[in-house]
Amino acid sequence: MKWTIAMTQEELHRKTILDRAIDKRITQKEGAEALQISERHFRRILTRYRQQGDLGLVSGHRGKPGNRKLAEQTRERIVKFIKKPLHEGFGPTFMMEKIEEFKGIRISKETMRQIMIAEGIHKAKVRKKKIHPPRERKKQVGDIVQIDGSYHAWLEDRAPKACLLLFVDDATSAILAAEFTRTESFFAYARLCKSYFRSKGLPKSFYSDRFGVFKVNTGEKDGVTQFQRAMTAVGVEMIFASSPQAKGRVERANLTFQDRLIKEMRLRHICSYQAANTYLPEFIKQYNRKFAILPQSMGNNHAPLDTSLDLDFLFSVHRERTITKDLLIHYGGKTYQINTKRPPQNLIKRQVLITEDEKGVVSAYLNGDPLDLVLIQKQPKVSKVVSTKSYDHHSYTPPVNHPWRTYGKKINGRPIPST
């Protein structure tokens, strides 16, 4: 009877050494050194080879299921879980965490990845070569805080797109502050900055892109945005990145949030951004516990907030206007009258500071002192005056019984007799 024995290259090499030892061409010690095993193990293999022949060199585990193979029943439960529509788009790592959380099944990320690939749910990604080397982290919390906004369909088809503002610490990659907003605007960042400064203090610097909220990009060398002015007032330095890769920590955090946060809110049936903002602190705690790292130095560079600073005043829009001879101030297409007991000549042509908060409330300050303003309501014009030479002038045709049509045909109200 003939049969085929499949052997690996290593097993064939072992057979050659054993044959030489049996033929007394080498000693058992030399054979053990050639195979890089102990003499005792060499004698054990040699005995099995003499008793079973070539079959004794082949691994006994070949062709048999592994001791750690996943049970078929468990695999069916995993496949049923990952194919639920609610779990569409989950990656292997996130799917592994959720199946342990909801079903109590503990498997490795690689096992989950292989199952998802076999079921056609996941495709293996080809890693791109890194072009930008990572920048060295700062040593302490609060040295640099990377800030950015990410427009995305955070609630998928349950709500329109929105912007998530993120503040990420450079030393630890921890999320320091976050909020969903409708737009990435000055007032949106101002609202998040005020809550962040009051809870954690002032960082040494903010690291951002060159978005118009942070930097003037119209060619004015000395131009300052409202956000820059506010940061200068509180003593926070602004640093501008030249590329998205330069602020990679907040960019990677955005990608992680777009992957995990969306699915977490889907599982919790969150359908409004108000509810999403309520859930954010809980998600941030989980995120920091899983992804944040320890800083090189355990110090904290957040400076305490000066209680004398009026953050609501600093994070208002600041403009300058000139008082007219009638003690009027023109701002935003509206006219304001100054109520004062001071002589008018002391105010005419003086520069005043105009502030407008997020709610649209306008205030005026002269040398730091507030002025009393009254909005002047302009009455609309009754009708539009149209020139008779205008091409849009409406032509008027007199009726048949109009007196104009009988002009020159009557005398004293009586028709002129025809001759």
Side-chain angles (χ1 to χ4, degrees), residues 69-81:
K69 182 182 178 181
L70 199 64
E72 192 62 32
Q73 185 178 3
T74 305
R75 191 182 190 281
E76 290 176 359
R77 291 178 61 195
I78 294 173
V79 172
K80 184 178 179 181
F81 181 84

Side-chain angles (χ1 to χ4, degrees), residues 146-213:
Q146 299 187 14
I147 61 178
D148 193 27
S150 174
Y151 280 99
H152 199 72
W154 294 101
L155 296 179
E156 299 172 299
D157 58 350
R158 304 186 299 279
K161 287 186 177 181
C163 182
L164 175 64
L165 306 183
L166 278 184
F167 289 9
V168 180
D169 181 60
D170 185 80
T172 63
S173 291
I175 306 298
L176 301 178
E179 184 181 2
F180 285 108
T181 62
R182 293 180 60 187
T183 58
E184 189 179 6
S185 63
F186 165 69
F187 283 121
Y189 277 104
R191 188 168 54 252
L192 187 57
C193 280
K194 287 188 285 187
S195 63
Y196 167 53
F197 292 163
R198 286 165 179 159
S199 61
K200 292 184 171 58
L202 301 171
K204 288 186 66 176
S205 58
F206 273 149
Y207 198 48
S208 72
D209 53 21
R210 296 170 181 266
F211 181 52
V213 170

Side-chain angles (χ1 to χ4, degrees), residues 4 20 24 102 149 165 184 194 238 318 380 392 402 411:
T4 302
R20 294 176 65 185
K24 306 296 184 181
F102 293 113
L165 306 183
E184 189 179 6
K194 287 188 285 187
M238 288 295 299
H318 289 200
D392 298 330
H402 194 278
I411 298 177

Side-chain angles (χ1 to χ4, degrees), residues 10-27:
E10 181 182 358
E11 291 167 347
L12 288 173
H13 175 62
R14 180 172 291 184
K15 173 179 167 57
T16 303
I17 299 299
L18 291 172
D19 286 338
R20 294 176 65 185
I22 291 174
D23 295 340
K24 306 296 184 181
R25 287 181 288 175
I26 59 172
T27 63

Side-chain angles (χ1 to χ4, degrees), residues 230-242:
M231 291 303 104
T232 302
V234 298
V236 176
E237 181 187 3
M238 288 295 299
I239 304 174
F240 303 108
S242 300

Side-chain angles (χ1 to χ4, degrees), residues 302-326:
H302 279 98
L305 180 64
D306 187 355
T307 55
S308 64
L309 286 176
D310 186 356
L311 294 183
D312 293 329
F313 171 79
L314 293 177
F315 283 101
S316 298
V317 174
H318 289 200
R319 304 288 186 191
E320 287 189 352
R321 291 294 184 269
T322 302
I323 301 175
T324 68
K325 63 179 181 179
D326 299 323

